[in-house]
């Protein structure tokens, strides 16, 4: 009996309806009081004694008091923020939230050539078509598209006669450590949840490990592992009437995610031990966080001010970064780093022949092919993207400070003459723009800002 069949017989499935009220006053203290009340009720139901009944009534009274106090505090805090300029609709919306009246997010309604599209299937098709156009890179520079086709004609040979350390079979200890580190997430197209794999018997883990090592040696992935269900989430501050107003999140196979984590640990270990990643990159690396680039920029500005210099900084943001990443470039960089054998072969098969379907209100669109890019939901996607954007900082002149956190890029220049600073930064921007054009990326003009200090 398969994992999915066993789970279907023993684990009831929940519906998509929200059964819990979303209230802003709920706090950890409320959750703890309710949990203790329910535990006391459970003990009383098991053995109906006077002592346990008294304990239950006490816990119930405490829970009521804690909840009432949380409601009162939340309401007082909100009332103190109301002014004469507050909108009545916003006030009543808050009142409805406090009372626990949940209103689910409305279904997406797109506006195509002036006509509203509300049917879930039609909306899913429009969103899927939009993602398909992005993955094909039709919005990119025509010169890049022509050079891209020419460069992809050069084959990449990942065969190796040596036994690299990162190509050895996975061990049971690696699998157990990876499963214990996995966080709970939504199930993918195969309906297998990560919790099912975490509760497998050791004998079943041995079978799963054998499957992973077989795929690792042969380099052939199951087709279901290359399929994703895309959920569109509306971006804040947008109307939701355009397909570009939605952020796609891909649901992929949990079994594949486990193997992705195994491969990702090997890949990151190799990149870090060989100092292959740029020193300016701080995204998703051990020992680094978002605070580090902020502190570096703060130190750079303070040192400039100490020398009576001015600082001009430019903050870039890549447009559709994950969805437009050039896959051949990822593999070419892996080849140039000397990666051979099972690891790059797995990456090559993982990136090719990927498909997706968009889900809107439990309605699935037809199948679409993801021509380029990495799925936002795959474990390997972040590392592969870091690898694709790794050499961005290397094109800058020596006098330009830079910092990179995944796709958020910042450069700065300090000096006594603002005109010379502007000239240096313009030279740097030209280089960055050329790099983006040759690598299949495009910077967002609406999210790129310049600051002067």
């Amino acid at each position: 009996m398969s994992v999915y069949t066993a789970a279907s017989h023993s684990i009831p499935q929940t519906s998509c309806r929200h059964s819990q009220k979303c209230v802003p006053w709920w706090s950890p203290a409320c959750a703890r009081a309710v949990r203790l009340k329910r535990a006391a009720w459970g003990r009383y139901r098991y053995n109906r004694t006077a002592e346990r009944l008294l304990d239950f009534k006490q816990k119930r009274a405490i829970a009521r008091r804690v909840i009432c106090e949380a409601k009162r505090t939340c309401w007082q805090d909100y009332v103190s923020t109301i002014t004469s300029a507050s909108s009545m609709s916003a006030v009543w919306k808050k009142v409805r939230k406090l009372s626990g009246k949940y209103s689910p997010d409305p279904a997406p309604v797109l506006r195509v050539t002036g006509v509203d599209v509300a049917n879930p299937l039609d909306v899913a098709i429009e969103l899927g078509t939009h993602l398909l156009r992005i993955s094909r890179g039709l919005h990119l520079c025509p010169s890049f598209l022509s050079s891209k086709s020419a460069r992809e004609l050069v084959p990449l040979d990942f065969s190796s006669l040596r036994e690299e350390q990162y190509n050895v079979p996975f061990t049971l200890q690696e699998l157990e450590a990876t499963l214990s580190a996995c966080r709970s997430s939504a199930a993918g197209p195969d309906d297998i949840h990560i919790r099912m794999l975490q509760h497998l018997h050791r004998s079943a883990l041995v079978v799963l490990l054998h499957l992973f090592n077989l795929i690792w040696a042969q380099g052939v992935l199951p087709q279901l592992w290359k399929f994703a269900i895309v959920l569109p989430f509306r971006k804040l501050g947008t109307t939701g009437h355009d397909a570009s107003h939605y952020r796609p999140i891909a649901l992929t196979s949990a079994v594949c995610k486990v193997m992705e984590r195994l491969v990702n640990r090997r890949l990151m270990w190799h990149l870090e031990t060989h100092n292959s990643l740029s020193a300016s990159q701080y995204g998703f690396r051990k020992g680094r966080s978002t605070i580090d680039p902020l502190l570096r920029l703060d130190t750079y500005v303070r040192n400039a001010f100490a020398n009576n210099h001015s600082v001009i900084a430019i903050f870039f943001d890549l447009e559709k970064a994950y969805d437009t990443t050039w896959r051949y470039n990822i593999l070419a960089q892996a080849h140039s780093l000397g990666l051979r054998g099972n690891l790059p072969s797995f990456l090559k098969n993982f990136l090719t022949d990927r498909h997706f379907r968009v889900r809107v209100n439990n309605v699935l669109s037809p199948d679409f092919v993801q021509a380029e890019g990495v799925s936002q939901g795959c474990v390997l996607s972040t590392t592969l993207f870091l690898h694709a954007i790794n050499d961005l900082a290397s094109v800058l002149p020596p006098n330009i400070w830079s910092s990179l956190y995944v796709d958020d890029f910042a450069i700065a220049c300090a000096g006594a003459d603002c005109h010379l600073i502007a000239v240096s930064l313009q030279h740097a921007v030209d280089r960055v723009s050329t790099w983006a054009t040759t690598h299949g990326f495009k910077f967002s003009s609406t999210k790129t800002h310049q600051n002067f200090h």
Side-chain angles (χ1 to χ4, degrees), residues 3 169-173 175-176 179 197 199-214 262:
V3 175
F170 299 109
T171 63
L172 188 60
Q173 289 74 20
L175 178 57
E176 291 175 339
L179 282 173
L197 303 178
H199 288 83
L200 287 176
H201 190 266
R202 190 178 181 87
S203 59
L205 289 180
V206 173
V207 176
L208 183 62
L209 178 64
H210 176 71
L211 172 64
F212 286 164
N213 283 325
L214 190 64
L262 290 169

Side-chain angles (χ1 to χ4, degrees), residues 110-291:
L110 301 181
R111 190 160 294 161
V112 183
T113 62
V115 179
D116 289 345
V117 178
N119 182 273
L121 178 59
D122 295 335
V123 172
I125 293 175
E126 287 293 334
L127 292 173
T129 306
H130 172 72
L131 296 176
L132 177 63
R133 286 196 297 264
I134 292 176
S135 69
R136 287 180 175 175
L138 300 180
H139 64 291
L140 298 176
C141 179
S143 60
F144 164 74
L145 296 178
S146 59
S147 64
K148 172 178 177 290
S149 303
R151 291 176 61 182
E152 288 179 348
L153 294 176
V154 179
L156 301 174
D157 184 15
F158 291 112
S159 60
S160 174
L161 299 177
R162 297 181 292 109
E163 186 64 31
E164 292 83 359
Q165 189 174 358
Y166 52 77
N167 286 331
V168 299
F170 299 109
T171 63
L172 188 60
Q173 289 74 20
E174 285 182 279
L175 178 57
E176 291 175 339
T178 300
L179 282 173
S180 63
C182 289
R183 296 181 297 178
S184 180
S185 59
D190 53 8
D191 287 336
I192 296 179
H193 199 277
I194 192 65
R195 293 289 180 86
M196 302 178 188
L197 303 178
Q198 290 175 332
H199 288 83
L200 287 176
H201 190 266
R202 190 178 181 87
S203 59
L205 289 180
V206 173
V207 176
L208 183 62
L209 178 64
H210 176 71
L211 172 64
F212 286 164
N213 283 325
L214 190 64
I215 296 173
W216 185 241
Q218 296 181 355
V220 180
L221 278 69
Q223 192 60 40
L224 188 61
W225 287 15
K226 301 181 181 183
F227 177 73
I229 296 177
V230 175
L231 304 181
F233 289 89
R234 185 164 64 90
K235 300 177 183 178
L236 293 177
T238 60
T239 60
H241 294 324
D242 192 87
S244 61
H245 295 171
Y246 293 86
R247 178 176 289 104
I249 300 298
L251 300 182
T252 57
S253 170
V255 184
C256 181
K257 285 183 178 180
V258 175
M259 186 164 187
E260 285 180 59
R261 288 184 179 275
L262 290 169
V263 177
N264 189 59
R265 295 175 75 172
R266 297 272 183 96
L267 178 58
M268 284 300 296
W269 172 84
H270 179 81
L271 295 177
E272 294 288 2
T273 54
H274 290 77
N275 295 320
S276 301
L277 293 177
S278 171
S280 300
Q281 178 61 261
Y282 290 88
F284 296 96
R285 298 177 64 183
K286 284 188 176 180
R288 302 192 178 200
S289 67
T290 54
I291 301 298

Side-chain angles (χ1 to χ4, degrees), residues 27-59:
S27 64
C30 297
R32 183 175 181 275
V34 171
R35 186 168 62 251
L36 293 176
K37 181 195 72 171
R38 290 176 177 174
W41 173 249
R43 289 192 295 269
Y44 172 69
R45 289 186 60 188
Y46 179 76
N47 188 5
R48 295 176 181 267
T49 62
E51 293 80 9
R52 294 192 173 186
L53 177 60
L54 179 62
D55 180 61
F56 164 68
K57 290 183 176 180
Q58 290 176 344
K59 296 294 192 301

Side-chain angles (χ1 to χ4, degrees), residues 286-302:
K286 284 188 176 180
R288 302 192 178 200
S289 67
T290 54
I291 301 298
D292 295 316
L294 295 177
L295 290 177
R296 283 188 63 236
L297 179 58
D298 180 75
T299 303
Y300 184 80
V301 173
R302 288 177 182 272

